[in-house]
DNA sequence: CACCAATGTTAGATCACTCTAACATTTATC
DNA sequence: GATAAATGTTAGAGTGATCTAACATTGGTG
């Protein structure tokens, strides 16, 4: 069954379930899914039941939600579409990295496999999207997660930003102002546990930047 | 109400109703709509009722189907999207003119107004799509129809192709083989009314081409 | 102009998706 | 470990889209 025979709703559910375990390994819950998608939990509960009936997830009432192999394949295909489209929108149509997520969220359900291939070719097979997230290859295993969140970084260490969560466009605009993006090199200055603030210096800049926990957790780095 | 708040189905219905009067002036019927969209007449009958309830068409049972002003605006916006997307697919992604219609038929419902604008800018505000159909401007009156069907042309006359119906991909591929496209200059050689054949010579070629009524009717020309 | 064929509409059903409200289960707290 | 809070599920309802089958209207043909 090709990805395109699933409803947009089903495609979004699968993508979300897969994404939940990409960076953190806690299994996703009905409540979180409802929150993210913007519907009521009862709607998700129902949707999950339909996915289970189609053999795309396993789920017993009140139990955990797991992708089947078929579900995982569809999910990865959707993530690939989403990230390729984001990259395309930035590279070819001149979008800002804060503008692409919502557009891709809709387009991902409408483009054909042919179009995905053409975009991939036009972009010369990019490996990362504008937020630094790896673009799963058309065939083969998606790149594994590397790095950790900036709020976990040790004071004094030097790190490189690998990805920034594309969840919140406002936050992305703020990072743009700061000059903070994937590939940025940072020195972690201090962490005040109870103040929930991480202070960093972007290499080449002459002052420190203070980031709250939410912002620091949106930034992934490697040593 | 922006175009995007209508269902894909409603958008297709409006586009189809508008398109029916673009080249020929006979009003569209429920049966023809059902045929084109690929659903049963009862489905269309129902859909039209919903459009009427939304104030996008006027229609009394067994009566004619007419767009309201609001309906016409949405329809033209959809036609613009469709034709810009077709042009984009050919110019930027290297599609053939026979491949774009179906892709655009889906994409037209998914792209944002912003993306339509960006595509329009990237393409330098094209005025015609790959089939020669005029692209309605973002604001203002769509270009009026010009020309007539090739099966109406007088033998001996010289004509220029302005548009070729994008309905049938196979026919487009055949025209490609023949070297026949918008802008082609032709001399009409003969018309055999009862044989239903129009013979033409494409300028620069050294033999005549015989076209059946269906093919000749798909080609629009100006003197 | 009566009748029939073509065309269009309504009735009744199903499916996916969504909601609110009521109910059930799990988990956290004392 | 009993109770309360949080979380998840089911029940019941509505919408849009689709179908088949039955019914209605319209428009030619004899
Ligand atoms: Mn989506
Ligand atoms: Mn992204
Ligand atoms: Mn369409
Ligand atoms: Mn076209």
């Amino acid at each position: 069954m090709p990805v395109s025979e699933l409803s947009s709703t089903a495609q979004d559910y699968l993508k979300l379930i897969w994404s939940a375990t990409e960076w953190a390994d806690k299994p996703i819950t009905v409540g979180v899914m409802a929150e993210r998608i913007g519907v009521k939990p009862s709607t998700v509960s129902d949707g999950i039941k339909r996915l289970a009936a189609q053999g795309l997830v396993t789920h017993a009432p009140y139990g955990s939600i797991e992708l089947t192999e078929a579900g995982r394949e569809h999910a990865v295909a959707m993530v690939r579409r989403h990230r390729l489209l984001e990259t395309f929108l930035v590279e070819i149509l001149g979008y800002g990295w804060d503008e692409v997520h919502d557009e891709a969220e809709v387009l991902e359900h409408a483009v054909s496999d042919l179009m995905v291939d053409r975009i991939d070719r036009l972009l010369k097979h990019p490996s990362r999207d504008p937020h630094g997230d790896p673009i799963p290859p058309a065939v083969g295993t998606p790149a594994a997660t590397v790095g950790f969140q900036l709020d976990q970084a040790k004071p004094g260490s030097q790190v490189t930003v690998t990805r920034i969560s594309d969840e919140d466009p406002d936050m992305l605009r703020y990072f743009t102002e700061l000059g903070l993006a994937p590939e940025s090199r940072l020195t972690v200055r201090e962490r005040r546990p109870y103040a929930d603030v991480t202070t960093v210096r972007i290499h080449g800049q002459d002052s420190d930047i203070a980031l709250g926990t939410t912002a620091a957790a949106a930034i992934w780095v490697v040593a």
Side-chain angles (χ1 to χ4, degrees), chain A residues 32-216:
Chain A
V32 170
M33 287 185 66
E35 163 78 35
R36 287 289 207 79
I37 295 171
V39 296
K40 300 295 171 188
S42 57
T43 303
V44 171
S45 189
D46 219 64
I48 293 290
K49 222 181 303 174
R50 271 193 304 276
L51 289 180
Q54 289 172 90
L56 298 166
V57 303
T58 56
H59 178 62
Y62 301 101
S64 67
I65 301 163
E66 309 276 0
L67 293 172
T68 62
E69 183 54 27
R72 217 202 90 260
E73 277 167 23
H74 283 120
V76 171
M78 290 311 299
V79 171
R80 173 173 164 80
R81 282 161 172 254
H82 184 95
R83 294 181 183 168
L84 267 176
L85 283 164
E86 286 188 342
T87 310
F88 165 80
L89 291 169
V90 166
E91 297 295 324
I92 308 298
L93 293 183
Y95 277 64
W97 71 334
D98 56 303
E99 298 176 309
V100 297
H101 182 80
D102 290 353
E103 186 88 51
E105 195 57 56
V106 178
L107 276 178
E108 63 191 3
H109 310 290
V111 297
S112 68
D113 287 341
L114 174 63
M115 186 162 164
V116 172
D117 278 358
R118 293 295 171 94
I119 287 173
D120 184 44
R121 186 191 304 177
L122 179 64
L123 298 174
K124 312 267 179 57
H125 316 292
S127 61
R128 297 193 169 267
D129 84 359
H131 314 101
D133 285 317
I135 297 171
V139 294
T141 321
T145 302
V146 293
F148 48 93
Q149 285 158 294
L150 182 55
D151 64 348
Q152 307 295 314
K154 289 192 186 60
S157 61
Q158 298 208 355
V159 297
T160 304
V161 174
T162 53
R163 73 172 290 256
I164 298 182
S165 166
D166 61 6
E167 277 290 291
D168 182 344
D170 285 327
M171 190 179 283
L172 291 180
R173 278 188 283 278
Y174 178 56
F175 290 152
T176 304
E177 269 177 48
L178 297 178
L180 192 57
E183 311 294 312
S184 292
R185 294 275 299 152
L186 309 175
T187 299
V188 182
R189 305 302 282 250
E190 49 175 3
R191 292 209 61 244
R192 302 271 183 75
Y194 294 102
D196 281 346
V197 167
T198 302
T199 309
V200 299
R201 171 73 62 92
I202 300 176
H203 290 194
Q205 296 193 357
D206 55 9
S207 61
D208 289 353
I209 291 163
L211 298 167
T213 305
T214 312

